[in-house]
Amino acid sequence: IDFKQTSPNPLDYKSVFSDQEGRYQFSENGEFNIKYTLSQVASKPNFSPVSKTLDLNQDNSYTKVNDIIMERKQEKMIIKGKVIQATTQNPLSGVKVVFNTKRDGIETMEISGTTDSNGEFKLEKDLAMRSEIQGDIVLSKPRFQKVTKTIILNQKNEYQINAGTIEMVGERILGKISGIVKEKANNSPLTAVQIDINSYSPTRIQKKEFTVSDGTFSSSIDMEYGIEYKFAISISKSNFDIVQLSKVLNSENNYEINLEVYLEREGTLGEVFGRAVQATDGSPLNNVESLVSINSPEYQSSTDISNVEGKFVNRVKVLKGKEYTGTITLKKKNYEAVKKNIQLGETSNNYKL
């Protein structure tokens, strides 16, 4: 507390400090029968200063009891950051973000918010300044593991902090691809049909199943919730045309799909195969979807997904002795699609291109 005499003549006095109980005392020699006017300014870091004018005279015996009430300065606390899924590095929306502080096990403050479509959040609160605020950011989202991160706010960072990018992991779930395979000509179930299930996004998955006596099959796949998995499914049996399918498992279909597939005995198989690479440096590109379309009424389109070496193979239904034209289209997220004309024939390339 700083004291200055303003009347009868300006004079600065020594400052005094409050003790642990907040009490203070100021005394100075003066002359009787003179009215003294003092200015008093109380100051403390993180608090707003308090000023008062005091009159000391013979009427109050030159003694004054003056309590001072101080208020902490107000600051805007800002906590921001971004939440992503650890496996895919994709932003997570709808994550509940809570910041809370505790003292002696008792919660003293809590503010909350939710991540937007970009996975970003921003928590704001006006609060009284103090030397330091320590608390926990708690992130929660259904079917994801909860994440807690401790942060410290103080004058050094102006009570504003960027918590950075925080990763969350989805719970493990059991996906399922099942179905039935029949012969198209007579609608009868086919046994011992080979089902090859492959995915290269976001992780490599390879499964092989066979149909049982009633033509059904089922494959359980370990997955992480919140991720979309793309599968290339090849269905084959000796003396039958191969069927290739492209399917997606995600939260929208509850990571389960059921297929009904018909195989034909007619025709033979041609192949359109190759390797997808990065144009700039020639490095292989996986998870590229290849789609072959043939200009023929008896042909259905064929899809495949390139592996880690960038290789893809599209098997196409052809009839011997005929020439076929069509296109192959390669697509991958964040890349420009590539489309090429193709020709398959028995004499030109033995239906392999």
Side-chain angles (χ1 to χ4, degrees), residues 64-88:
K64 193 97 173 170
V65 177
N66 181 47
D67 291 338
I68 303 172
I69 299 176
M70 303 188 71
E71 295 182 352
R72 289 184 181 270
K73 292 180 179 178
Q74 292 291 313
E75 285 287 336
K76 182 176 286 294
M77 181 181 72
I78 299 177
I79 303 170
K80 60 183 179 179
K82 184 175 183 178
V83 185
I84 62 173
Q85 186 152 6
T87 305
T88 62

mmCIF file of all heavy atoms in Angstrom, residues 64-88:
data_model
loop_
_atom_site.group_PDB
_atom_site.id
_atom_site.type_symbol
_atom_site.label_atom_id
_atom_site.label_comp_id
_atom_site.label_asym_id
_atom_site.label_seq_id
_atom_site.Cartn_x
_atom_site.Cartn_y
_atom_site.Cartn_z
ATOM 1 N N LYS A 64 -7.373 6.217 11.521
ATOM 2 C CA LYS A 64 -8.392 5.779 10.568
ATOM 3 C C LYS A 64 -8.295 4.258 10.376
ATOM 4 O O LYS A 64 -7.210 3.722 10.166
ATOM 5 C CB LYS A 64 -8.157 6.449 9.200
ATOM 6 C CG LYS A 64 -9.329 6.303 8.233
ATOM 7 C CD LYS A 64 -10.180 7.529 8.271
ATOM 8 C CE LYS A 64 -11.251 7.505 7.205
ATOM 9 N NZ LYS A 64 -12.225 8.581 7.373
ATOM 10 N N VAL A 65 -9.450 3.596 10.511
ATOM 11 C CA VAL A 65 -9.524 2.163 10.192
ATOM 12 C C VAL A 65 -10.098 2.044 8.772
ATOM 13 O O VAL A 65 -11.235 2.452 8.514
ATOM 14 C CB VAL A 65 -10.408 1.395 11.189
ATOM 15 C CG1 VAL A 65 -10.517 -0.073 10.769
ATOM 16 C CG2 VAL A 65 -9.841 1.512 12.606
ATOM 17 N N ASN A 66 -9.314 1.533 7.878
ATOM 18 C CA ASN A 66 -9.720 1.520 6.461
ATOM 19 C C ASN A 66 -9.509 0.130 5.863
ATOM 20 O O ASN A 66 -8.377 -0.283 5.614
ATOM 21 C CB ASN A 66 -8.898 2.550 5.684
ATOM 22 C CG ASN A 66 -9.288 2.591 4.221
ATOM 23 O OD1 ASN A 66 -10.455 2.627 3.888
ATOM 24 N ND2 ASN A 66 -8.285 2.562 3.354
ATOM 25 N N ASP A 67 -10.602 -0.582 5.706
ATOM 26 C CA ASP A 67 -10.528 -1.900 5.059
ATOM 27 C C ASP A 67 -10.497 -1.721 3.549
ATOM 28 O O ASP A 67 -11.189 -0.870 2.995
ATOM 29 C CB ASP A 67 -11.733 -2.758 5.440
ATOM 30 C CG ASP A 67 -11.691 -3.162 6.917
ATOM 31 O OD1 ASP A 67 -10.590 -3.152 7.485
ATOM 32 O OD2 ASP A 67 -12.770 -3.480 7.464
ATOM 33 N N ILE A 68 -9.710 -2.572 2.891
ATOM 34 C CA ILE A 68 -9.558 -2.519 1.432
ATOM 35 C C ILE A 68 -10.067 -3.825 0.828
ATOM 36 O O ILE A 68 -9.658 -4.912 1.250
ATOM 37 C CB ILE A 68 -8.083 -2.298 1.034
ATOM 38 C CG1 ILE A 68 -7.540 -1.021 1.676
ATOM 39 C CG2 ILE A 68 -7.938 -2.253 -0.483
ATOM 40 C CD1 ILE A 68 -6.042 -0.859 1.489
ATOM 41 N N ILE A 69 -10.938 -3.710 -0.115
ATOM 42 C CA ILE A 69 -11.438 -4.889 -0.828
ATOM 43 C C ILE A 69 -10.885 -4.847 -2.250
ATOM 44 O O ILE A 69 -11.138 -3.904 -2.994
ATOM 45 C CB ILE A 69 -12.976 -4.931 -0.848
ATOM 46 C CG1 ILE A 69 -13.522 -4.998 0.576
ATOM 47 C CG2 ILE A 69 -13.472 -6.118 -1.669
ATOM 48 C CD1 ILE A 69 -15.029 -4.942 0.657
ATOM 49 N N MET A 70 -10.150 -5.902 -2.613
ATOM 50 C CA MET A 70 -9.500 -5.949 -3.927
ATOM 51 C C MET A 70 -10.123 -7.065 -4.778
ATOM 52 O O MET A 70 -10.535 -8.104 -4.268
ATOM 53 C CB MET A 70 -7.993 -6.188 -3.785
ATOM 54 C CG MET A 70 -7.294 -5.147 -2.923
ATOM 55 S SD MET A 70 -5.496 -5.302 -2.963
ATOM 56 C CE MET A 70 -5.130 -4.737 -4.624
ATOM 57 N N GLU A 71 -10.179 -6.810 -6.064
ATOM 58 C CA GLU A 71 -10.728 -7.785 -7.003
ATOM 59 C C GLU A 71 -9.657 -8.195 -8.006
ATOM 60 O O GLU A 71 -8.869 -7.367 -8.466
ATOM 61 C CB GLU A 71 -11.928 -7.206 -7.759
ATOM 62 C CG GLU A 71 -13.127 -6.904 -6.875
ATOM 63 C CD GLU A 71 -14.297 -6.384 -7.682
ATOM 64 O OE1 GLU A 71 -14.104 -6.123 -8.900
ATOM 65 O OE2 GLU A 71 -15.390 -6.250 -7.117
ATOM 66 N N ARG A 72 -9.694 -9.490 -8.330
ATOM 67 C CA ARG A 72 -8.747 -9.968 -9.337
ATOM 68 C C ARG A 72 -9.069 -9.389 -10.713
ATOM 69 O O ARG A 72 -10.220 -9.159 -11.046
ATOM 70 C CB ARG A 72 -8.796 -11.502 -9.430
ATOM 71 C CG ARG A 72 -8.212 -12.226 -8.223
ATOM 72 C CD ARG A 72 -8.223 -13.726 -8.465
ATOM 73 N NE ARG A 72 -7.694 -14.452 -7.331
ATOM 74 C CZ ARG A 72 -6.409 -14.768 -7.161
ATOM 75 N NH1 ARG A 72 -5.532 -14.402 -8.077
ATOM 76 N NH2 ARG A 72 -5.996 -15.423 -6.094
ATOM 77 N N LYS A 73 -8.035 -9.143 -11.491
ATOM 78 C CA LYS A 73 -8.242 -8.672 -12.857
ATOM 79 C C LYS A 73 -8.919 -9.756 -13.692
ATOM 80 O O LYS A 73 -8.701 -10.947 -13.492
ATOM 81 C CB LYS A 73 -6.901 -8.304 -13.501
ATOM 82 C CG LYS A 73 -6.226 -7.087 -12.903
ATOM 83 C CD LYS A 73 -4.913 -6.809 -13.612
ATOM 84 C CE LYS A 73 -4.218 -5.576 -13.042
ATOM 85 N NZ LYS A 73 -2.914 -5.332 -13.707
ATOM 86 N N GLN A 74 -9.754 -9.349 -14.639
ATOM 87 C CA GLN A 74 -10.442 -10.285 -15.519
ATOM 88 C C GLN A 74 -9.616 -10.508 -16.786
ATOM 89 O O GLN A 74 -9.123 -9.567 -17.390
ATOM 90 C CB GLN A 74 -11.829 -9.764 -15.884
ATOM 91 C CG GLN A 74 -12.803 -9.718 -14.718
ATOM 92 C CD GLN A 74 -13.210 -11.104 -14.252
ATOM 93 O OE1 GLN A 74 -13.547 -11.960 -15.058
ATOM 94 N NE2 GLN A 74 -13.155 -11.326 -12.945
ATOM 95 N N GLU A 75 -9.483 -11.776 -17.157
ATOM 96 C CA GLU A 75 -8.787 -12.148 -18.377
ATOM 97 C C GLU A 75 -9.654 -13.147 -19.140
ATOM 98 O O GLU A 75 -10.429 -13.895 -18.543
ATOM 99 C CB GLU A 75 -7.431 -12.792 -18.061
ATOM 100 C CG GLU A 75 -6.367 -11.816 -17.616
ATOM 101 C CD GLU A 75 -5.846 -10.973 -18.754
ATOM 102 O OE1 GLU A 75 -5.948 -11.410 -19.912
ATOM 103 O OE2 GLU A 75 -5.339 -9.872 -18.479
ATOM 104 N N LYS A 76 -9.510 -13.172 -20.453
ATOM 105 C CA LYS A 76 -10.227 -14.172 -21.254
ATOM 106 C C LYS A 76 -9.331 -15.391 -21.431
ATOM 107 O O LYS A 76 -8.263 -15.309 -22.026
ATOM 108 C CB LYS A 76 -10.632 -13.615 -22.613
ATOM 109 C CG LYS A 76 -11.436 -14.629 -23.460
ATOM 110 C CD LYS A 76 -11.901 -14.018 -24.759
ATOM 111 C CE LYS A 76 -13.052 -13.063 -24.546
ATOM 112 N NZ LYS A 76 -14.281 -13.759 -24.061
ATOM 113 N N MET A 77 -9.787 -16.504 -20.883
ATOM 114 C CA MET A 77 -9.068 -17.759 -21.039
ATOM 115 C C MET A 77 -9.508 -18.412 -22.346
ATOM 116 O O MET A 77 -10.706 -18.549 -22.612
ATOM 117 C CB MET A 77 -9.354 -18.689 -19.865
ATOM 118 C CG MET A 77 -8.614 -20.018 -19.929
ATOM 119 S SD MET A 77 -9.018 -21.082 -18.525
ATOM 120 C CE MET A 77 -10.699 -21.533 -18.961
ATOM 121 N N ILE A 78 -8.549 -18.816 -23.179
ATOM 122 C CA ILE A 78 -8.850 -19.450 -24.463
ATOM 123 C C ILE A 78 -8.038 -20.739 -24.575
ATOM 124 O O ILE A 78 -6.818 -20.728 -24.430
ATOM 125 C CB ILE A 78 -8.537 -18.529 -25.652
ATOM 126 C CG1 ILE A 78 -9.388 -17.253 -25.589
ATOM 127 C CG2 ILE A 78 -8.767 -19.256 -26.975
ATOM 128 C CD1 ILE A 78 -9.083 -16.254 -26.696
ATOM 129 N N ILE A 79 -8.736 -21.828 -24.831
ATOM 130 C CA ILE A 79 -8.089 -23.119 -25.068
ATOM 131 C C ILE A 79 -8.594 -23.634 -26.412
ATOM 132 O O ILE A 79 -9.802 -23.742 -26.632
ATOM 133 C CB ILE A 79 -8.436 -24.146 -23.967
ATOM 134 C CG1 ILE A 79 -8.055 -23.603 -22.586
ATOM 135 C CG2 ILE A 79 -7.724 -25.466 -24.223
ATOM 136 C CD1 ILE A 79 -8.576 -24.439 -21.446
ATOM 137 N N LYS A 80 -7.678 -23.920 -27.315
ATOM 138 C CA LYS A 80 -8.089 -24.426 -28.624
ATOM 139 C C LYS A 80 -7.212 -25.601 -29.023
ATOM 140 O O LYS A 80 -6.148 -25.841 -28.444
ATOM 141 C CB LYS A 80 -8.045 -23.320 -29.678
ATOM 142 C CG LYS A 80 -6.678 -22.696 -29.883
ATOM 143 C CD LYS A 80 -6.766 -21.561 -30.904
ATOM 144 C CE LYS A 80 -5.412 -20.908 -31.116
ATOM 145 N NZ LYS A 80 -5.475 -19.817 -32.114
ATOM 146 N N GLY A 81 -7.670 -26.327 -30.021
ATOM 147 C CA GLY A 81 -6.914 -27.485 -30.486
ATOM 148 C C GLY A 81 -7.661 -28.209 -31.581
ATOM 149 O O GLY A 81 -8.680 -27.740 -32.098
ATOM 150 N N LYS A 82 -7.163 -29.378 -31.939
ATOM 151 C CA LYS A 82 -7.758 -30.184 -33.004
ATOM 152 C C LYS A 82 -7.701 -31.645 -32.605
ATOM 153 O O LYS A 82 -6.728 -32.103 -31.995
ATOM 154 C CB LYS A 82 -7.007 -29.963 -34.323
ATOM 155 C CG LYS A 82 -7.612 -30.691 -35.513
ATOM 156 C CD LYS A 82 -6.895 -30.329 -36.816
ATOM 157 C CE LYS A 82 -7.556 -31.002 -38.009
ATOM 158 N NZ LYS A 82 -6.918 -30.633 -39.287
ATOM 159 N N VAL A 83 -8.768 -32.384 -32.960
ATOM 160 C CA VAL A 83 -8.858 -33.803 -32.619
ATOM 161 C C VAL A 83 -8.917 -34.619 -33.912
ATOM 162 O O VAL A 83 -9.694 -34.312 -34.821
ATOM 163 C CB VAL A 83 -10.101 -34.097 -31.755
ATOM 164 C CG1 VAL A 83 -10.105 -35.562 -31.314
ATOM 165 C CG2 VAL A 83 -10.130 -33.193 -30.522
ATOM 166 N N ILE A 84 -8.080 -35.652 -33.994
ATOM 167 C CA ILE A 84 -8.060 -36.525 -35.169
ATOM 168 C C ILE A 84 -8.107 -37.983 -34.722
ATOM 169 O O ILE A 84 -7.834 -38.298 -33.563
ATOM 170 C CB ILE A 84 -6.801 -36.291 -36.034
ATOM 171 C CG1 ILE A 84 -5.531 -36.622 -35.231
ATOM 172 C CG2 ILE A 84 -6.744 -34.868 -36.549
ATOM 173 C CD1 ILE A 84 -4.257 -36.584 -36.056
ATOM 174 N N GLN A 85 -8.475 -38.861 -35.670
ATOM 175 C CA GLN A 85 -8.391 -40.289 -35.403
ATOM 176 C C GLN A 85 -6.965 -40.742 -35.689
ATOM 177 O O GLN A 85 -6.409 -40.473 -36.756
ATOM 178 C CB GLN A 85 -9.391 -41.065 -36.253
ATOM 179 C CG GLN A 85 -9.449 -42.546 -35.913
ATOM 180 C CD GLN A 85 -10.797 -43.165 -36.198
ATOM 181 O OE1 GLN A 85 -11.669 -42.518 -36.748
ATOM 182 N NE2 GLN A 85 -10.995 -44.411 -35.804
ATOM 183 N N ALA A 86 -6.369 -41.413 -34.723
ATOM 184 C CA ALA A 86 -4.942 -41.725 -34.790
ATOM 185 C C ALA A 86 -4.589 -42.557 -36.025
ATOM 186 O O ALA A 86 -3.579 -42.303 -36.686
ATOM 187 C CB ALA A 86 -4.511 -42.450 -33.523
ATOM 188 N N THR A 87 -5.413 -43.536 -36.359
ATOM 189 C CA THR A 87 -5.077 -44.462 -37.448
ATOM 190 C C THR A 87 -5.091 -43.780 -38.802
ATOM 191 O O THR A 87 -4.187 -43.981 -39.620
ATOM 192 C CB THR A 87 -6.056 -45.645 -37.455
ATOM 193 O OG1 THR A 87 -6.050 -46.257 -36.155
ATOM 194 C CG2 THR A 87 -5.656 -46.678 -38.496
ATOM 195 N N THR A 88 -6.106 -42.953 -39.056
ATOM 196 C CA THR A 88 -6.266 -42.349 -40.380
ATOM 197 C C THR A 88 -5.776 -40.910 -40.452
ATOM 198 O O THR A 88 -5.624 -40.373 -41.546
ATOM 199 C CB THR A 88 -7.750 -42.361 -40.777
ATOM 200 O OG1 THR A 88 -8.499 -41.565 -39.827
ATOM 201 C CG2 THR A 88 -8.291 -43.783 -40.785
#
